[in-house]
Amino acid sequence: MAGRILMVEDDERIRTSTRMALEDEGYEVDEADTAESALEIFEGRAPDVVLIDLMLPGIDGFECCRAIRRTSAVPIIMVTARSDTHDVVAGLEAGADDYVTKPFVTKELAARIRAHLRRSSQVAVGTASGGSGGAGLPGTAVWTFGDVEVAPEAGEVRKAGRPVHLTRTEFRLLCELADNAGRVLSREQLLEAVWGYDYFGDSRLVDVHVRRLRTKVEDNPASPRHVVTVRGLGYKLAS
Protein backbone atom coordinates (compact mmCIF):
# COMPACT_ATOMS: atom_id res chain seq x y z
CA MET A 1 0.00 0.00 0.00
CA ALA A 2 1.40 3.42 -1.01
CA GLY A 3 -0.29 5.17 1.90
CA ARG A 4 -3.61 5.90 3.57
CA ILE A 5 -5.56 8.96 2.49
CA LEU A 6 -8.55 10.59 4.13
CA MET A 7 -10.63 12.48 1.57
CA VAL A 8 -13.19 15.01 2.84
CA GLU A 9 -15.50 15.85 -0.06
CA ASP A 10 -19.26 16.33 -0.09
CA ASP A 11 -19.69 15.83 -3.84
CA GLU A 12 -20.22 12.09 -4.24
CA ARG A 13 -19.28 12.09 -7.92
CA ILE A 14 -15.93 13.78 -7.30
CA ARG A 15 -15.33 11.68 -4.20
CA THR A 16 -15.93 8.40 -5.99
CA SER A 17 -13.92 9.21 -9.11
CA THR A 18 -11.00 10.54 -7.07
CA ARG A 19 -11.02 7.52 -4.77
CA MET A 20 -10.96 5.12 -7.70
CA ALA A 21 -8.10 7.01 -9.36
CA LEU A 22 -6.05 7.11 -6.15
CA GLU A 23 -6.71 3.43 -5.48
CA ASP A 24 -5.30 2.74 -8.95
CA GLU A 25 -2.14 4.51 -7.70
CA GLY A 26 -1.96 2.09 -4.78
CA TYR A 27 -3.46 4.25 -2.03
CA GLU A 28 -6.06 3.16 0.50
CA VAL A 29 -8.71 5.86 0.66
CA ASP A 30 -11.16 6.64 3.45
CA GLU A 31 -14.05 8.90 2.46
CA ALA A 32 -16.00 11.47 4.46
CA ASP A 33 -18.75 13.74 3.18
CA THR A 34 -18.67 16.10 6.18
CA ALA A 35 -15.99 17.52 8.43
CA GLU A 36 -17.68 15.98 11.44
CA SER A 37 -17.42 12.44 10.04
CA ALA A 38 -13.88 13.17 8.82
CA LEU A 39 -12.72 14.09 12.32
CA GLU A 40 -14.14 10.82 13.68
CA ILE A 41 -12.41 8.81 10.95
CA PHE A 42 -9.17 10.72 11.49
CA GLU A 43 -9.02 9.68 15.14
CA GLY A 44 -9.32 6.01 14.34
CA ARG A 45 -7.50 5.60 11.03
CA ALA A 46 -4.34 7.77 11.32
CA PRO A 47 -4.15 8.73 7.62
CA ASP A 48 -0.85 9.66 5.98
CA VAL A 49 -2.38 12.54 3.99
CA VAL A 50 -5.68 14.42 4.31
CA LEU A 51 -7.51 16.01 1.36
CA ILE A 52 -10.09 18.63 2.39
CA ASP A 53 -12.66 20.45 0.30
CA LEU A 54 -13.29 23.98 1.56
CA MET A 55 -17.01 24.12 0.97
CA LEU A 56 -18.61 21.50 3.21
CA PRO A 57 -21.99 21.32 4.92
CA GLY A 58 -21.79 22.11 8.64
CA ILE A 59 -18.19 22.68 9.69
CA ASP A 60 -16.32 24.06 6.69
CA GLY A 61 -12.96 22.98 5.36
CA PHE A 62 -11.07 25.77 7.11
CA GLU A 63 -12.24 24.69 10.57
CA CYS A 64 -11.75 21.01 9.74
CA CYS A 65 -8.15 21.81 8.84
CA ARG A 66 -7.62 23.78 12.03
CA ALA A 67 -9.10 20.95 14.14
CA ILE A 68 -6.73 18.39 12.63
CA ARG A 69 -3.76 20.73 12.84
CA ARG A 70 -4.29 21.26 16.56
CA THR A 71 -3.29 17.64 17.18
CA SER A 72 -1.37 16.46 14.14
CA ALA A 73 1.33 17.43 11.64
CA VAL A 74 -0.11 15.17 8.94
CA PRO A 75 0.21 16.69 5.44
CA ILE A 76 -3.04 18.44 4.50
CA ILE A 77 -3.95 19.39 0.94
CA MET A 78 -6.88 21.71 0.29
CA VAL A 79 -8.88 20.64 -2.76
CA THR A 80 -11.22 23.44 -3.73
CA ALA A 81 -13.07 25.17 -6.52
CA ARG A 82 -12.26 28.49 -4.85
CA SER A 83 -9.11 29.74 -6.57
CA ASP A 84 -9.28 33.33 -5.38
CA THR A 85 -6.07 34.38 -3.68
CA HIS A 86 -7.95 35.27 -0.50
CA ASP A 87 -9.37 31.74 -0.22
CA VAL A 88 -6.10 30.06 -1.07
CA VAL A 89 -4.23 32.10 1.52
CA ALA A 90 -6.95 31.49 4.12
CA GLY A 91 -6.69 27.75 3.51
CA LEU A 92 -2.94 27.79 3.97
CA GLU A 93 -3.24 30.02 7.02
CA ALA A 94 -5.61 27.44 8.51
CA GLY A 95 -2.72 25.00 8.47
CA ALA A 96 -2.80 23.33 5.04
CA ASP A 97 0.49 22.43 3.42
CA ASP A 98 -0.74 22.65 -0.13
CA TYR A 99 -3.77 23.36 -2.29
CA VAL A 100 -5.26 22.08 -5.52
CA THR A 101 -7.97 23.88 -7.44
CA LYS A 102 -10.88 22.12 -9.16
CA PRO A 103 -11.13 20.83 -11.76
CA PHE A 104 -7.87 19.00 -11.23
CA VAL A 105 -5.94 16.29 -13.01
CA THR A 106 -5.80 13.25 -10.77
CA LYS A 107 -2.25 12.42 -11.77
CA GLU A 108 -1.16 15.86 -10.62
CA LEU A 109 -2.94 15.36 -7.30
CA ALA A 110 -1.27 11.94 -6.95
CA ALA A 111 2.13 13.53 -7.69
CA ARG A 112 1.61 16.09 -4.95
CA ILE A 113 0.57 13.36 -2.51
CA ARG A 114 3.72 11.40 -3.33
CA ALA A 115 5.85 14.52 -2.78
CA HIS A 116 4.32 15.11 0.66
CA LEU A 117 4.64 11.47 1.65
CA ARG A 118 8.26 11.43 0.51
CA ARG A 119 9.08 14.46 2.63
CA SER A 120 7.12 13.21 5.61
CA SER A 121 9.24 10.07 5.61
CA GLN A 122 12.44 12.14 5.49
CA VAL A 123 11.65 14.42 8.41
CA ALA A 124 11.12 13.37 11.97
CA VAL A 125 9.30 16.35 13.35
CA GLY A 126 8.94 16.23 17.09
CA THR A 127 8.15 19.91 16.97
CA ALA A 128 5.14 19.47 14.75
CA SER A 129 3.31 16.85 16.66
CA GLY A 130 3.53 18.42 20.05
CA GLY A 131 7.27 18.37 20.64
CA SER A 132 9.28 16.43 23.10
CA GLY A 133 9.33 19.41 25.42
CA GLY A 134 11.73 18.28 28.08
CA ALA A 135 14.60 16.76 26.13
CA GLY A 136 17.68 18.81 25.42
CA LEU A 137 19.06 19.28 21.95
CA PRO A 138 21.23 16.33 20.95
CA GLY A 139 24.91 16.56 20.18
CA THR A 140 24.38 16.75 16.43
CA ALA A 141 24.65 19.89 14.30
CA VAL A 142 22.52 22.74 15.57
CA TRP A 143 21.85 25.98 13.73
CA THR A 144 21.54 29.03 15.96
CA PHE A 145 20.29 32.49 15.10
CA GLY A 146 19.42 34.94 17.81
CA ASP A 147 17.64 32.99 20.53
CA VAL A 148 16.41 30.34 18.06
CA GLU A 149 18.04 26.90 17.83
CA VAL A 150 17.30 24.40 15.08
CA ALA A 151 18.35 20.78 15.49
CA PRO A 152 17.62 19.23 12.09
CA GLU A 153 18.49 15.66 13.03
CA ALA A 154 16.21 15.76 16.05
CA GLY A 155 13.46 17.68 14.27
CA GLU A 156 13.47 20.23 17.07
CA VAL A 157 13.28 23.99 17.19
CA ARG A 158 13.61 26.06 20.33
CA LYS A 159 13.21 29.74 20.97
CA ALA A 160 14.65 31.12 24.16
CA GLY A 161 14.97 27.52 25.31
CA ARG A 162 11.33 26.66 24.73
CA PRO A 163 10.10 24.18 22.10
CA VAL A 164 8.54 25.75 19.03
CA HIS A 165 5.82 23.71 17.38
CA LEU A 166 6.14 23.75 13.60
CA THR A 167 4.37 21.82 10.91
CA ARG A 168 6.53 19.55 8.75
CA THR A 169 6.40 22.10 5.95
CA GLU A 170 7.39 24.98 8.23
CA PHE A 171 10.21 22.87 9.64
CA ARG A 172 11.57 21.99 6.20
CA LEU A 173 11.31 25.63 5.15
CA LEU A 174 13.25 26.80 8.21
CA CYS A 175 15.91 24.11 7.72
CA GLU A 176 16.36 25.07 4.08
CA LEU A 177 16.82 28.72 5.02
CA ALA A 178 19.13 27.86 7.93
CA ASP A 179 21.25 25.55 5.80
CA ASN A 180 21.74 28.46 3.40
CA ALA A 181 22.00 31.19 6.03
CA GLY A 182 23.01 34.51 4.53
CA ARG A 183 22.15 33.43 0.97
CA VAL A 184 19.09 34.68 -0.83
CA LEU A 185 16.79 31.85 -1.94
CA SER A 186 14.19 32.59 -4.57
CA ARG A 187 10.62 31.42 -4.15
CA GLU A 188 11.19 28.94 -6.95
CA GLN A 189 14.23 27.50 -5.17
CA LEU A 190 12.24 27.14 -1.97
CA LEU A 191 9.33 25.51 -3.81
CA GLU A 192 11.70 22.97 -5.31
CA ALA A 193 13.55 22.30 -2.06
CA VAL A 194 10.59 22.16 0.31
CA TRP A 195 7.67 20.98 -1.82
CA GLY A 196 9.60 18.91 -4.37
CA TYR A 197 11.13 19.14 -7.81
CA ASP A 198 7.94 17.87 -9.37
CA TYR A 199 5.86 20.43 -7.53
CA PHE A 200 3.30 22.42 -9.52
CA GLY A 201 2.53 25.15 -7.01
CA ASP A 202 3.04 28.88 -7.04
CA SER A 203 4.78 31.45 -4.89
CA ARG A 204 1.75 32.05 -2.65
CA LEU A 205 2.61 28.81 -0.87
CA VAL A 206 6.04 30.15 0.04
CA ASP A 207 4.79 33.55 1.14
CA VAL A 208 2.08 32.16 3.41
CA HIS A 209 4.33 29.61 5.04
CA VAL A 210 7.06 32.22 5.58
CA ARG A 211 4.47 34.41 7.27
CA ARG A 212 3.37 31.56 9.52
CA LEU A 213 6.96 30.67 10.29
CA ARG A 214 7.70 34.23 11.33
CA THR A 215 4.88 34.19 13.87
CA LYS A 216 6.66 31.32 15.58
CA VAL A 217 10.35 32.27 15.45
CA GLU A 218 10.39 36.06 15.35
CA ASP A 219 9.97 38.42 18.31
CA ASN A 220 8.07 40.80 16.05
CA PRO A 221 6.72 39.03 12.93
CA ALA A 222 5.76 42.40 11.43
CA SER A 223 9.40 43.44 11.54
CA PRO A 224 11.35 40.18 11.16
CA ARG A 225 15.03 40.06 12.07
CA HIS A 226 15.83 36.53 10.95
CA VAL A 227 13.56 35.34 8.10
CA VAL A 228 13.85 38.44 5.97
CA THR A 229 12.49 39.39 2.59
CA VAL A 230 14.93 40.48 -0.09
CA ARG A 231 12.75 42.55 -2.35
CA GLY A 232 12.43 41.16 -5.84
CA LEU A 233 14.65 38.17 -5.09
CA GLY A 234 13.23 36.00 -2.32
CA TYR A 235 14.04 35.23 1.30
CA LYS A 236 17.11 34.65 3.39
CA LEU A 237 17.97 33.77 6.96
CA ALA A 238 19.91 36.54 8.64
CA SER A 239 21.64 36.02 11.96
Side-chain angles (χ1 to χ4, degrees):
M1 184 179 72
R4 182 186 299 280
I5 296 170
L6 171 58
M7 178 171 51
V8 194
E9 169 63 64
D10 64 331
D11 187 312
E12 183 177 3
R13 181 181 57 82
I14 295 175
R15 201 171 62 241
T16 300
S17 62
T18 304
R19 174 181 55 76
M20 294 175 66
L22 292 177
E23 286 176 344
D24 286 344
E25 298 275 345
Y27 298 105
E28 183 170 332
V29 182
D30 295 313
E31 299 179 36
D33 59 358
T34 66
E36 290 86 345
S37 60
L39 294 174
E40 290 183 8
I41 294 171
F42 183 84
E43 290 297 322
R45 302 286 280 178
D48 300 302
V49 174
V50 180
L51 310 178
I52 303 178
D53 184 18
L54 283 182
M55 294 179 287
L56 297 169
I59 298 174
D60 66 18
F62 296 116
E63 188 52 42
C64 182
C65 182
R66 293 188 191 97
I68 292 173
R69 192 52 84 217
R70 280 194 283 271
T71 62
S72 172
V74 65
I76 297 175
I77 302 175
M78 290 291 191
V79 183
T80 175
R82 293 160 63 168
S83 59
D84 181 82
T85 293
H86 173 79
D87 293 316
V88 172
V89 171
L92 295 172
E93 294 280 13
D97 298 285
D98 198 353
Y99 68 89
V100 174
T101 54
K102 298 175 182 174
F104 57 85
V105 177
T106 307
K107 285 195 173 297
E108 178 185 332
L109 177 62
R112 293 187 188 222
I113 291 170
R114 283 196 296 274
H116 283 284
L117 287 173
R118 188 163 56 244
R119 276 144 191 82
S120 293
S121 67
Q122 293 171 348
V123 179
V125 194
T127 52
S129 57
S132 57
L137 293 173
T140 55
V142 175
W143 293 308
T144 302
F145 48 98
D147 61 354
V148 178
E149 294 178 308
V150 183
E153 296 295 330
E156 291 186 353
V157 179
R158 293 175 184 269
K159 179 173 174 56
R162 295 183 177 181
V164 177
H165 306 303
L166 303 181
T167 67
R168 285 189 175 88
T169 300
E170 291 163 353
F171 182 77
R172 287 189 56 81
L173 178 60
L174 181 59
C175 285
E176 189 64 25
L177 290 165
D179 195 33
N180 293 278
R183 291 181 52 202
V184 180
L185 298 178
S186 68
R187 290 172 175 79
E188 290 74 19
Q189 287 175 307
L190 290 169
L191 277 171
E192 180 177 332
V194 177
W195 281 266
Y197 71 93
D198 53 357
Y199 189 72
F200 304 93
D202 65 36
S203 61
R204 288 177 294 186
L205 274 176
V206 178
D207 295 339
V208 172
H209 282 85
V210 164
R211 189 158 60 244
R212 285 189 353 205
L213 180 60
R214 283 171 171 163
T215 67
K216 300 178 180 180
V217 301
E218 298 281 358
D219 292 333
N220 180 6
S223 181
R225 293 177 50 234
H226 304 304
V227 183
V228 299
T229 302
V230 181
R231 187 179 297 276
L233 295 177
Y235 296 102
K236 72 175 181 179
L237 189 75
S239 58

